[in-house]
Amino acid sequence: MKITLVCMPWASMATPSLALGILSRRIADNFPDIETTSLYANIDFADWMDQQGGLGAADFSFFSLGSYFMGCGDWVFSSALYDDPSWRVEEFDRRMADDLTPEQMETCRRLHGLVPEFIDAMARRIVAEGPDLVGATSTFQQNVASLALLRRIKQLAPGIATVMGGANCDGPQGEALHRNFPFLDYVVRGEAERSFTQLVDALHTAGSPDAAGSSPEVSRISGLCWRDGDRSVSNPATKQLLAPAEIPAPDYDAYFDRIRRSRVQSWYEPVLVVEGARGCWWGEKHHCTFCGLNGSAMTFRSKSPHIYLDEILDLARRHRVLDFYAVDNILEMSYLDSVLDKLADAPFDLRIQYEVKSNMNRSQIERMRAAGVVSVQPGIENLSSRVLKIMDKGVSGTHNVRFLRDAESCGLTVAWNYLYGFPGETPDDYLQVIEQFPALHHLHPCSGASRIALERFSPYFDRPELGFAERRPHRQYSLIYDLPDTELADLAYLFETPDRGIDGKLAKELDQALREWGGNHVRSRLSYTDLGDRIELSNSRPGFAWRSMTLADPVEVELFRALHNPRSLEQLERRAVSGGGGWDTGRVETLLADWRRAGLIFVEADRAVQVATEDENQLMCRIRRESDEQGGPELALELAGEPTCVEI
């Protein structure tokens, strides 16, 4: 038996497919006599794009990442799915005229006319290899390219079995795909490690796809869609999610073999994909109201620390790549001790991207950074505590600002975006925060502001009473698929609803304020050095005229240190009054007002937090101070002939 697993556009070229890596390893482990080929057709397509002339990395990235909420990548391949190079071109032009640049429109139209040639060539190449089963993984904008390929394969060789799986096939989506596209023999819904292996076993045992088509074995595979004659059958989903031990280390050899032969390999530096955990430990108890991630598998499970650590180090050794992207939706906190601390002592200087929760403290961030974590996605998404509560995020606005500040101090890049449009939010939730953005211009800016989309599997989708009872499939689906609205309602992941929350005028004000933040970030700085008896601050943010400041009053120094973490006015007043410096509560309130005008603190709800990052001299000054306190020799720390910290 021969199997071909395909990764279609618009999967990123920069990373190997985790799905192909895991499934190819599962088949190899369970069926040594089966020949499995992993085909990176996304890289083939990038090479083909380059051959067409005038298409490059920026074009590929636009379809891979930038156009997801418009569906441009799927629309491009709809011409091949419906065998019509002019498929809904006029409608596309009308709908997208206000959303795309003329250059983007032209690229979309050009590729739309050309991709049937690519799909036909790829299908003929696969059929020539004589596989018994061809499987395509589909996440984000891989749906239509995968469908088009499997359709053409079935036309050329009806005896080849076809199967789709991936995030786009979860729940009702998978049923709709199987129901509406008869060239799909099977659709795997949910986690595929167990069910796909069972399907391969059934086909392998039967000796041919036709013999296994409606066998008792197929009818017992949880979550599988299969055909009983002309009837689409969907087996019930499993109630027993995968144990971490069932998830093998991925095999990425096919990716590296292909990328090294690519004519456009210089577009990206490869990044290894790893997975330590599935599900979300926060979402199990408090599912963020707008989040549709994890679909039918929210339960949090994590791999054994030593197994996960070995996977990371083995992949680095085998492929001689130091950049890693962890696909975990949230960091398993026990990994701080069991995995990340050990990575800090590893023989490689790894560069890891991770998704975390934004309530992590400074010590935890430092440990991540020491382990090689260089970029995080902390799910910040808003700086208003009231809106964050509506989201059920479990953090406050001041916690989010604290994370941005500490990440900046530790040299950690932060990926985040600002979301709005939540039922129950008010203009005050934004105006009071926007006013304070200039104080944050030295911290990592977000990628932009956007109104939330209604996502399948989110609480907002599953519970219409939360505010989105009126919904329809996103307009991109009717532009791409030739299906009735009732079927699109099952196939779609994104839905449109009447706007909630703030109006368009305030949304533009928010977007403009965030653009100013991004524009000013490169020339903005606010840092401090704690010298024990005083604190020296340095500022270069355009919104504030002062450039240096000294806090010398012992109570001021104590309050500034206390504001490392969010504090209420009452907490600060108790510290000041009990400090013995003759302070009263009114003086504390005046000080906080002064600090807010100077942009030293961020104040939100009933909490304040200081926003100055730790100066790079801080560690060296701390070493010297500790040495002096211990009676050791005076340290002479110099950089380029100049003292690295001021005299103590």
Side-chain angles (χ1 to χ4, degrees):
M1 183 177 180
K2 296 176 66 174
I3 298 174
T4 298
L5 302 177
V6 188
C7 177
M8 290 296 286
W10 295 94
S12 171
M13 287 177 54
T15 58
S17 167
L18 184 65
L20 265 60
I22 288 177
L23 292 180
S24 61
R25 175 62 59 85
R26 285 278 290 182
I27 299 306
D29 290 345
N30 286 273
F31 307 100
D33 59 326
I34 291 180
E35 179 184 341
T36 302
T37 300
S38 292
L39 181 61
Y40 281 87
N42 58 327
I43 302 177
D44 291 318
F45 185 69
D47 284 346
W48 180 83
M49 283 176 57
D50 182 67
Q51 288 177 318
Q52 305 310 306
L55 298 172
D59 299 299
F60 196 95
S61 294
F62 167 72
F63 292 107
S64 178
L65 300 171
S67 72
Y68 171 64
F69 288 98
M70 295 180 283
C72 297
D74 273 333
W75 180 79
V76 160
F77 279 93
S78 63
S79 58
L81 176 60
Y82 291 106
D83 202 17
D84 181 0
S86 63
W87 178 259
R88 295 182 177 169
V89 172
E90 292 183 3
E91 189 174 354
F92 178 84
D93 289 347
R94 287 196 305 271
R95 291 195 190 181
M96 296 298 180
D98 295 332
D99 298 321
L100 301 178
T101 67
E103 293 78 15
Q104 290 169 337
M105 292 280 288
E106 175 57 30
T107 300
C108 289
R109 286 193 296 260
R110 182 182 176 192
L111 288 177
H112 187 264
L114 292 173
V115 294
E117 175 188 338
F118 171 80
I119 289 294
D120 180 68
M122 185 60 58
R124 291 182 181 278
R125 171 184 160 191
I126 292 172
V127 169
E129 295 296 322
D132 301 288
L133 174 67
V134 177
T137 180
S138 180
T139 302
F140 298 124
Q141 292 190 89
Q142 289 180 285
N143 235 25
V144 181
S146 298
L147 289 169
L149 177 70
L150 296 179
R151 169 184 173 273
R152 186 64 182 132
I153 287 172
K154 206 68 174 175
Q155 287 178 330
L156 295 170
I160 295 177
T162 57
V163 58
M164 269 182 70
N168 288 334
C169 300
D170 205 358
Q173 296 171 277
E175 295 181 45
L177 287 169
H178 192 259
R179 192 166 59 238
N180 287 286
F181 297 102
F183 53 82
L184 288 178
D185 293 311
Y186 306 100
V187 170
V188 175
R189 296 180 298 145
E191 297 175 308
E193 286 88 345
R194 186 188 301 144
S195 54
F196 183 70
T197 304
Q198 292 170 342
L199 173 62
V200 171
D201 188 31
L203 297 176
H204 191 40
T205 301
S208 73
D210 292 337
S214 58
S215 68
E217 290 77 13
V218 167
S219 66
R220 288 194 290 264
I221 299 174
S222 296
L224 184 71
C225 298
W226 54 283
R227 300 196 182 278
D228 184 4
D230 294 332
R231 186 171 66 97
S232 173
V233 180
S234 298
N235 296 341
T238 183
K239 296 181 180 179
Q240 182 183 359
L241 296 177
L242 288 170
E246 294 184 82
I247 306 172
D251 180 350
Y252 291 147
D253 287 357
Y255 167 80
F256 282 96
D257 176 67
R258 181 63 188 87
I259 196 68
R260 291 186 182 114
R261 293 184 288 105
S262 171
R263 60 186 288 148
V264 297
Q265 61 177 294
S266 62
W267 283 5
Y268 307 97
E269 286 294 327
V271 178
L272 287 164
V273 180
V274 290
E275 181 183 39
R278 288 188 182 174
C280 179
W281 51 259
W282 175 255
E284 278 190 87
K285 298 179 180 179
H286 299 274
H287 191 174
C288 298
T289 54
F290 64 93
C291 178
L293 295 179
N294 296 299
S296 58
M298 178 65 74
T299 303
F300 187 73
R301 297 145 287 158
S302 59
K303 290 182 178 178
S304 165
H306 77 270
I307 290 176
Y308 184 41
L309 179 65
D310 287 346
E311 284 184 12
I312 294 173
L313 297 178
D314 288 347
L315 284 169
R317 291 188 190 98
R318 182 174 184 83
H319 301 294
R320 305 180 70 82
V321 170
L322 300 178
D323 291 297
F324 282 78
Y325 176 69
V327 298
D328 308 15
N329 290 150
I330 194 167
L331 173 66
E332 162 65 87
M333 294 304 291
S334 70
Y335 283 170
L336 283 170
D337 297 319
S338 56
V339 176
L340 295 184
D341 277 358
K342 291 181 173 58
L343 284 178
D345 299 325
F348 315 119
D349 291 326
L350 301 181
R351 298 179 292 268
I352 308 170
Q353 302 175 61
Y354 234 110
E355 293 190 33
V356 300
K357 200 170 189 317
S358 64
N359 62 351
M360 296 184 75
N361 60 40
R362 173 62 184 269
S363 173
Q364 293 168 330
I365 293 173
E366 287 176 341
R367 292 169 68 186
M368 283 198 303
R369 189 66 186 86
V373 176
V374 296
S375 177
V376 291
Q377 184 177 330
I380 288 177
E381 291 149 346
N382 208 286
L383 298 183
S384 164
S385 295
R386 188 172 175 278
V387 177
L388 290 164
K389 186 174 182 180
I390 293 173
M391 297 183 191
D392 208 0
K393 293 290 291 185
V395 294
S396 68
T398 47
H399 278 120
N400 282 343
V401 170
R402 182 187 70 174
F403 187 96
L404 289 172
R405 180 203 67 200
D406 290 346
E408 191 80 20
S409 293
C410 295
L412 200 61
T413 298
V414 182
W416 66 291
N417 60 334
Y418 216 106
L419 299 180
Y420 61 89
F422 297 90
E425 69 182 20
T426 69
D428 283 345
D429 296 324
Y430 292 84
L431 292 172
Q432 296 178 25
V433 173
I434 292 173
E435 177 192 358
Q436 298 184 77
F437 280 176
L440 308 178
H441 283 178
H442 61 297
L443 304 181
H444 203 287
C446 74
S447 58
S450 58
R451 188 174 293 277
I452 62 167
L454 181 60
E455 299 180 355
R456 185 183 297 278
F457 305 118
S458 70
Y460 277 148
F461 182 84
D462 292 335
R463 298 174 57 195
E465 71 273 13
L466 293 179
F468 294 102
E470 187 180 341
R471 80 275 298 272
R472 61 185 180 277
H474 193 280
R475 69 191 69 181
Q476 64 174 271
Y477 298 105
S478 64
L479 185 63
I480 296 166
Y481 298 99
D482 188 20
L483 296 173
D485 289 345
T486 52
E487 292 299 323
L488 292 179
D490 283 343
L491 182 147
Y493 178 76
L494 298 172
F495 292 79
E496 295 178 342
T497 69
D499 290 348
R500 297 288 186 263
I502 61 174
D503 61 20
K505 180 180 179 181
L506 183 51
K508 288 182 180 179
E509 185 178 340
L510 171 65
D511 185 67
Q512 180 59 35
L514 290 169
R515 289 177 184 273
E516 291 176 2
W517 182 344
N520 285 330
H521 177 250
V522 69
R523 54 196 176 116
S524 295
R525 181 188 181 199
L526 173 65
S527 61
Y528 77 94
T529 303
D530 191 333
L531 301 173
D533 63 337
R534 67 192 187 279
I535 291 174
E536 301 284 352
L537 292 129
S538 176
N539 170 65
S540 66
R541 296 163 299 171
F544 301 91
W546 65 274
R547 291 297 171 257
S548 63
M549 182 185 301
T550 300
L551 306 181
D553 183 288
V555 175
E556 289 186 2
V557 171
E558 171 61 20
L559 294 183
F560 183 86
R561 289 173 180 157
L563 284 168
H564 175 82
N565 292 314
R567 307 283 183 184
S568 68
L569 174 61
E570 290 76 13
Q571 290 173 320
L572 296 171
E573 286 175 341
R574 285 197 298 270
R575 283 176 176 258
V577 172
S578 64
W583 281 56
D584 57 27
T585 57
R587 187 174 174 185
V588 175
E589 192 167 357
T590 299
L591 177 68
L592 292 182
D594 290 342
W595 282 359
R596 179 168 178 170
R597 282 191 293 270
L600 291 186
I601 59 175
F602 175 81
V603 181
E604 200 277 323
D606 63 343
R607 293 289 187 273
V609 65
Q610 70 88 357
V611 299
T613 62
E614 187 172 288
D615 191 276
E616 53 231 10
N617 291 325
Q618 182 72 28
L619 176 61
M620 297 180 181
C621 289
R622 187 184 304 125
I623 293 172
R624 178 168 182 171
R625 188 165 58 247
E626 291 174 354
S627 177
D628 289 344
E629 290 171 354
Q630 296 168 6
E634 187 173 356
L635 298 181
L637 300 173
E638 296 185 354
L639 181 64
E642 295 294 332
T644 59
C645 61
V646 299
E647 187 63 26
I648 300 177

